[in-house]
Structures are given as structure tokens and as C-alpha cells.
Amino acid sequence: MEEYFGNVNPVGPRGCYDEAKRFQEAITMAYHNHHGLETRIVRIFNTYGPRMRLNDGRVLPAFLSQALRGENLTVFGDGSQTRSFCYVDDLVEGIYRLLLSNYALPVNIGNPDEITIKEFGEEIANLMGVEFQPTFQELPQNDPMKRKPDITKAREILSWVPKVDRAEGLRRTLEYFKEHITEVTAGKVNNTPRSF
Ligand code: UDP
């Protein structure tokens, strides 16, 4: 929930990413409190959908591209880490509602439907009608083991909940990937852990 102040490694491979987010919130609140500026802080969780970059190393483009190319899916660690994926239209609606509110403290916007990365790979393989064949690789350093937003605030303050479930969101995203099949098949899938 939003009141949790976090526990991140400032000098790990994700340090710049984590600390930059924290600093943005700090400076935003400083402008709000000190200068009376109207501000909003949205905490965005894993998001996916059409027009995602096909080759940016995130798990969904990596898995979809690999499945489209008939390759094994690269699962980092044993795949027991969880993520909660929000369809982009839901995210946009949540941000829009937050902008129209007068709430200046952080608000989580994400889909709390949590899934392990291994199950996610299985879902994508099923959707594509291929067998799920994972290649296990080393878990990146400081890769969070669990990510699931508590969206009580968004529900109460913005009357917002995500509407597009993963089955529907993945179908729509797959359509987009199929339209861009040449880009998917031409380039090598980027599945190197993102270093931010
Ligand atoms: N992941 C994976 N295989 C890949 C790419 C990512 O197993 O080819 C894992 C990654 O280790 C992480 C999860 O999928 O546990 C989500 O990774 P992503 O980079 O999409 O988002 P983030 O780590 O920022 O939540």
C-alpha cells in the first residue's frame, strides 16, 4: 500500500531506477507543500498492451516474441516470482481520474491479479497454441520476488478498478504483435535483464 516507504538497494543494478522514482516523488511533494503547486503522484505497476516496444527486454514482449518465433521462453530464476499486469487502457483511465481528482499523495494504479512468471509463460504458450518449453536462466540481481498493488485508495478515491482481464488483454496484445510479425521475426529477441 502507499504508506509503505519501501526497501530498496541504492547501489544495486536497479539503484538509479529505484532512487530516481523516490526522488521524483520527494521533489513533487516539496513543490506541492512549499510552493502550493497542484501535483499528482501515480505509482504505476507492470503495464502491457498494444504499441509496447517489441524488443525492450520486458517479460511480455520477450515471451510473445519467443513464442511467435518458435523459441523456448526464457524464464529467469525458477519463475516463482510474481507480477501483476495491468492492461494499458485501464492504466490510462486510472491516471486520468487521478488528474481530475484533488488528491496529491501517491496512488497505486495497477491490476492486483497476481501471477507467477512461470504461469505467465504457460498462459502465453497456451494462447499461442504452442507447448510451454522454458529455458531457465539466472535470476537478475535484486529482481523483486513479489509485486501486487493494493488499489484500495484508487478504488475509494477515484472509483477506479481495472476492467480488462489478462485473457482479454493478452488477446488484444497478441493481435498487435502479429501485425508487427516481421519486426518480431527479423530482430533477435532482447531478453537481457533490463539495467535501467
Ligand atoms: N523475466 C523473465 N524472462 C524474460 C524477461 C523477464 O523471466 O525474458 C522476468 C524478470 O526476471 C522479472 C519479471 O519477468 O521477474 C518481470 O520482468 P520485467 O522486466 O518485465 O518487469 P519488472 O522486473 O520491472 O517488473
Side-chain angles (χ1 to χ4, degrees):
M1 62 177 89
E2 289 85 344
E3 283 75 21
Y4 175 62
F5 291 149
N7 174 13
V8 291
N9 177 1
V11 293
R14 295 172 69 102
C16 290
Y17 176 68
D18 294 334
E19 299 300 341
K21 283 203 202 181
R22 296 171 67 89
F23 179 69
Q24 282 167 24
E25 292 194 4
I27 198 84
T28 301
M29 278 323 284
Y31 267 90
H32 179 75
N33 290 328
H34 189 75
H35 297 291
L37 205 69
E38 262 215 67
T39 57
R40 305 287 177 265
I41 298 176
V42 53
R43 290 200 180 146
I44 298 174
F45 287 70
N46 296 72
T47 304
Y48 70 100
R51 298 173 67 187
M52 226 176 164
R53 272 185 298 160
L54 306 179
N55 205 22
D56 74 353
R58 279 166 210 261
V59 66
L60 184 137
F63 281 0
L64 271 184
S65 303
Q66 285 161 344
L68 280 168
R69 292 154 59 102
E71 294 171 0
N72 284 6
L73 307 194
T74 48
V75 172
F76 298 162
D78 63 2
S80 65
Q81 70 272 33
T82 69
R83 293 295 185 271
S84 307
F85 297 95
C86 185
Y87 188 68
V88 62
D89 290 11
D90 285 329
L91 175 79
V92 170
E93 174 71 22
I95 294 175
Y96 183 64
R97 287 186 187 213
L98 181 60
L99 288 177
L100 297 184
S101 79
N102 60 1
Y103 192 79
L105 289 171
V107 178
N108 290 343
I109 301 287
N111 189 323
D113 186 6
E114 186 181 19
I115 186 173
T116 68
I117 291 302
K118 190 158 166 269
E119 287 164 345
F120 190 56
E122 282 164 0
E123 271 192 8
I124 289 187
N126 272 343
L127 179 73
M128 308 280 298
V130 299
E131 205 184 325
F132 175 58
Q133 282 182 327
T135 297
F136 292 99
Q137 295 187 3
E138 206 183 326
L139 188 70
Q141 207 191 333
N142 298 140
D143 198 83
M145 285 309 289
K146 182 179 169 69
R147 272 238 199 93
K148 174 180 176 170
D150 178 332
I151 57 166
T152 310
K153 272 218 167 83
R155 197 183 294 128
E156 287 176 2
I157 297 168
L158 313 174
S159 303
W160 175 87
V161 285
K163 293 202 178 97
V164 182
D165 66 18
R166 209 171 40 248
E168 174 60 20
L170 285 181
R171 263 195 301 278
R172 294 189 202 171
T173 308
L174 176 60
E175 282 312 303
Y176 172 81
F177 270 67
K178 279 183 177 160
E179 283 164 23
H180 293 77
I181 184 85
T182 43
E183 290 159 56
V184 174
T185 48
K188 184 179 165 349
V189 175
N190 175 12
N191 73 338
T192 45
R194 295 183 301 128
S195 57
F196 309 98

